[in-house]
Amino acid sequence: MSDLPQPASAELIALAVRARPDWGSGAVHDVLAQARNADMSWPRVLVAMAQLIADPDAEPPDLLASAPEAWRYRRPPAPETAHRGAAAVRAALHTEPDSD
């Protein structure tokens, strides 16, 4: 069941605007689209938006502050990458100069 919860943007926008009449639906819609472009997962968007709705000082653009930083989630290189690099360095260090 890894496909739960299902995205429900229209319902989340309606909830946000109903709970926060000081927010416009256009602003909430725009920030949800930006979050999608920032590769935020739906569960993360849902939790962050709920926290923002509960915070009287929050604004819709604050959602983007909780977007993951891409450089933090880079997949590390495979272990054999380091071994290949080390072998290349050893080979470069142990080369014999050309005797002409």
Side-chain angles (χ1 to χ4, degrees), residues 1-4 7 9 23 26-27 40 43 54 56 63 65 77-78 80 84 86 98:
M1 298 229 165
S2 63
D3 57 343
L4 294 176
S9 297
W23 292 0
M40 286 182 72
L63 177 68
E80 61 270 6
R84 284 195 316 264
D98 291 338

Side-chain angles (χ1 to χ4, degrees), residues 23-85:
W23 292 0
S25 62
V28 177
H29 179 272
D30 290 347
V31 82
L32 287 179
Q34 291 175 36
R36 186 174 38 238
N37 290 337
D39 289 332
M40 286 182 72
S41 68
W42 176 252
R44 186 178 190 117
V45 167
L46 188 58
V47 169
M49 185 59 80
Q51 291 171 336
L52 293 177
I53 289 170
D55 181 354
D57 297 324
E59 294 290 329
D62 296 338
L63 177 68
L64 301 175
S66 63
E69 296 168 333
W71 64 270
R72 290 187 186 268
Y73 297 99
R74 235 181 25 197
R75 177 175 290 145
E80 61 270 6
T81 303
H83 295 294
R84 284 195 316 264

